């Protein structure tokens, strides 16, 4: 292994990046006339930064976006019904249902195996 993880990726924590964003100078020109309610403002007034532009910026800082996106979708799918998830993220309901199935934890097989294992260990009863 070449170097440790921290040597290969020197990325400041997300909290540091967000603090820098808050501490930025006030916006000048036309940008100063628009409300600054967006965390990642776009190049046009009142718009947000495009997904591809944000993805490139995150990748340049060493933040893996594909794995992060999948983790976030699984987490959301665990916490809300597919119909709500679909509407919230603009997904098709079937796609949200697939994410829900991927996130589902079915403990039935584990419990059955555990119960069988405990039954196998019991000493035989009798005289």
């Amino acid at each position: 292994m070449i170097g440790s993880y921290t040597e290969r990726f020197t990325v400041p924590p997300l909290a540091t990046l967000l603090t820098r964003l808050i501490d930025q100078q006030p916006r000048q020109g036309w940008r100063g006339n628009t409300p600054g309610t967006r965390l990642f403002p776009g190049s046009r007034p009142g718009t947000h930064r495009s997904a591809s532009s944000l993805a490139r910026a995150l990748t340049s800082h060493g933040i893996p976006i594909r794995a992060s996106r999948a983790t976030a979708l699984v987490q959301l799918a665990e916490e809300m019904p597919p119909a709500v998830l679909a509407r919230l993220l603009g997904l098709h309901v079937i796609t949200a249902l697939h994410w829900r199935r991927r996130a589902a934890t079915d403990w039935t097989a584990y419990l059955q195996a555990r119960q069988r294992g405990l039954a196998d260990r019991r000493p035989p009863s009798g005289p």
Side-chain angles (χ1 to χ4, degrees), residues 2-13 58-64:
I2 302 172
S4 69
Y5 179 81
T6 55
E7 290 172 356
R8 290 185 306 191
F9 300 102
T10 55
V11 179
L58 290 171
T59 302
S60 71
H61 287 289
I63 299 171

Side-chain angles (χ1 to χ4, degrees), residues 11-18:
V11 179
L14 182 60
T16 303
L17 294 173
L18 292 175

Side-chain angles (χ1 to χ4, degrees), residues 90-127:
L91 301 173
H92 192 277
V93 177
I94 299 298
T95 304
L97 185 60
H98 287 297
W99 279 105
R100 176 68 182 146
R101 285 186 187 139
R102 184 179 292 179
T105 51
D106 184 15
W107 293 92
T108 309
Y110 168 77
L111 292 174
Q112 288 174 350
R114 179 79 175 142
Q115 189 174 20
R116 270 188 255 118
L118 291 175
D120 292 343
R121 284 192 225 157
R122 289 188 193 139
S125 60

Side-chain angles (χ1 to χ4, degrees), residues 8 28 30 47-48 62 65 67 69-70 85 92-93 103 108 111 113 119 123:
R8 290 185 306 191
Q28 304 296 319
W30 60 264
T47 63
H48 58 80
I65 58 170
R69 178 183 182 272
L85 181 65
H92 192 277
V93 177
T108 309
L111 292 174

Side-chain angles (χ1 to χ4, degrees), residues 29 47 50 66 79 87 105:
T47 63
S50 71
R66 184 172 295 257
E79 296 177 0
R87 186 168 183 148
T105 51

